[in-house]
Amino acid sequence: MALICCHDIPLFFANIDSPGEQQKYSVALIEHLFSLLPPQATVVMLYDVGCVLTRSIAKFDILPEDITSHLRFATTAMHAYGHEWACQLEHNPWMCVGLGLSDGEGTERLWSCFVRLIGSEMKADLGEWIKHHHKWGVKDQECMALNVINCCETSVEDLQAQWTDQQQSQLSICASLQTTKTMLEKETASNDTLNVLESLQRGHDRLMDKVETLFSSLNVQDRFLELDGVNLDFIRVLLMACNLKMNIQKRAIARTKLHQHIHKAITKRQSVLMTAIRKFNLYCECLELLHDPTWNIPLPTPLPTKLAELHGDQTLMQDVWITPSIGEVPRWLEDLDIRDGIHALLK
């Protein structure tokens, strides 16, 4: 294991002499780094499972207070999109203030350079890599982001306030859902209940073709009293869109874990994923036609139909709202220009 600075220069190495990449190696590297830094130094560590290490350090007091008070963790950019949305809000480096476009993949680039084991070429390649990304990456993205911000006609301060509001709202929702799931699996639910849940999960794909018929037969107003007065056709399409969005999220995240599989398997999954996305976008169009603003139900956003765009689309992990919003609908949820502006601001 290696500790790399933000310019991809290796600082320290730890020899892994046990099965697996255990947390003790990361902790040892961090302690050694802080022993050489001034007391007031602040450090951000980008690690594949930085979220897990954060919890371990907080729960078991592994590191002293004088280190943890000056230390923050983030996940690496490549791994971040395989994590839950609540985790991304806290640990995705491209959503953390001050990290810019840092991706945390310096260790991977180091191992790649080690193949040749020629120091002079490593230094030359590093310079070329920095120049290339500065010329074709940072400047282009900065120009595109500024154009989006200018087009949305909203101040940077307003966009930052909306982004903060979005983080607080979504972290609160995700935390509640996770707590409920944990209680159901470990404490509250009986064995029979858990067996039923497992059975439903296994039969999910088989039942997808029958979803529309199922929702049509439900008396939705009796089950969702808060939807009283909302058009029945709108509710049916909304619930089908909610269910399909969850299916798309699972397939899209699973696809990020297929890089070691054969190309045939990837192609097969892409086809199923694209079919689901196109169907979801049709639901979004239908909902827009049926929608009445007085219902106070935010409309879902259509998803990109290109996998390259889907990978970086932040609406992918946003759930479909199936209940009216209490009070005024937040601008970050209702206004597409504000959402685009926040996305550009994070760049």
Side-chain angles (χ1 to χ4, degrees):
M1 179 181 287
L3 186 66
I4 311 296
C5 76
C6 60
H7 302 298
D8 293 354
I9 303 300
L11 302 178
F12 311 110
F13 292 88
N15 186 30
I16 297 180
D17 58 0
S18 61
E21 190 177 304
Q22 299 179 10
Q23 294 183 7
K24 62 182 180 181
Y25 302 107
S26 302
V27 172
L29 288 171
I30 293 171
E31 286 183 323
H32 186 58
L33 174 66
F34 272 91
S35 69
L36 303 174
L37 295 177
Q40 68 274 18
T42 300
V43 176
V44 180
M45 306 291 292
L46 279 76
Y47 182 38
D48 292 351
V49 287
C51 50
V52 177
L53 191 55
T54 300
R55 178 172 176 79
S56 297
I57 291 175
K59 187 175 181 179
F60 300 107
D61 296 326
I62 298 173
L63 294 173
E65 176 67 23
D66 58 339
I67 291 181
T68 56
S69 60
H70 293 82
L71 177 64
R72 179 180 178 180
F73 284 97
T75 57
T76 55
M78 184 181 71
H79 287 77
Y81 294 101
H83 291 224
E84 294 181 354
W85 177 242
C87 177
Q88 292 189 42
L89 290 174
E90 287 285 343
H91 299 104
N92 189 326
W94 292 350
M95 296 184 186
C96 296
V97 177
L99 292 184
L101 295 176
S102 301
D103 58 10
E105 302 295 345
T107 307
E108 305 300 332
R109 289 187 284 270
L110 175 68
W111 302 143
S112 178
C113 289
F114 270 2
V115 173
R116 290 169 289 180
L117 294 176
I118 302 176
S120 61
E121 289 190 9
M122 288 174 61
K123 294 178 182 178
D125 289 347
L126 176 62
E128 289 298 322
W129 182 87
I130 293 175
K131 287 197 307 183
H132 173 77
H133 281 261
H134 181 68
K135 182 177 181 180
W136 302 110
V138 177
K139 289 185 177 180
D140 288 348
Q141 292 200 37
E142 182 182 11
C143 291
M144 288 189 293
L146 288 175
N147 287 337
V148 173
I149 291 175
N150 292 333
C151 290
C152 74
E153 299 180 350
T154 304
S155 67
V156 173
E157 292 75 15
D158 229 1
L159 291 174
Q160 289 175 333
Q162 290 296 319
W163 170 237
T164 301
D165 185 29
Q166 178 182 350
Q167 286 180 300
Q168 293 174 349
S169 300
Q170 293 182 330
L171 283 173
S172 175
I173 293 170
C174 290
S176 300
L177 290 174
Q178 186 61 38
T179 301
T180 304
K181 180 180 178 181
T182 303
M183 292 177 60
L184 183 62
E185 291 179 347
K186 295 185 177 180
E187 298 177 6
T188 309
S190 65
N191 290 333
D192 291 338
T193 303
L194 293 177
N195 290 335
V196 171
L197 289 174
E198 292 176 1
S199 177
L200 289 173
Q201 185 65 40
R202 289 192 300 268
H204 183 270
D205 292 336
R206 179 176 54 84
L207 293 174
M208 281 300 296
D209 294 336
K210 301 180 181 180
V211 167
E212 295 193 20
T213 304
L214 174 63
F215 280 127
S216 298
S217 65
L218 293 176
N219 192 351
V220 180
Q221 281 86 349
D222 291 343
R223 294 177 177 270
F224 300 93
L225 299 178
E226 62 272 20
L227 295 177
D228 186 32
V230 181
N231 181 277
L232 181 59
D233 290 335
F234 179 86
I235 295 174
R236 288 173 179 167
V237 177
L238 185 67
L239 292 176
M240 289 188 290
C242 177
N243 188 69
L244 185 57
K245 182 69 174 290
M246 290 187 289
N247 182 267
I248 291 172
Q249 290 170 347
K250 292 176 182 178
R251 291 185 181 278
I253 292 176
R255 183 182 175 275
T256 64
K257 301 176 183 178
L258 290 176
H259 57 279
Q260 295 178 342
H261 288 232
I262 59 176
H263 179 71
K264 182 178 178 181
I266 297 177
T267 304
K268 182 179 179 181
R269 186 174 292 274
Q270 285 180 353
S271 176
V272 176
L273 179 59
M274 288 298 99
T275 300
I277 290 175
R278 284 191 290 269
K279 189 173 184 180
F280 176 79
N281 290 344
L282 289 176
Y283 286 154
C284 292
E285 293 176 7
C286 183
L287 289 171
E288 190 172 0
L289 294 174
L290 297 171
H291 184 249
D292 185 341
T294 59
W295 295 335
N296 252 10
I297 300 179
L299 291 174
T301 305
L303 294 171
T305 54
K306 295 182 179 179
L307 290 180
E309 298 175 2
L310 182 67
H311 176 74
D313 190 80
Q314 296 190 20
T315 61
L316 172 63
M317 299 306 297
Q318 293 179 4
D319 295 327
V320 176
W321 285 40
I322 59 173
T323 56
S325 174
I326 300 176
E328 185 179 354
V329 179
R331 293 177 65 197
W332 60 262
L333 184 64
E334 180 184 40
D335 193 332
L336 182 59
D337 290 336
I338 292 294
R339 291 205 293 269
D340 290 340
I342 291 175
H343 193 192
L345 181 68
L346 293 175
K347 286 190 174 183

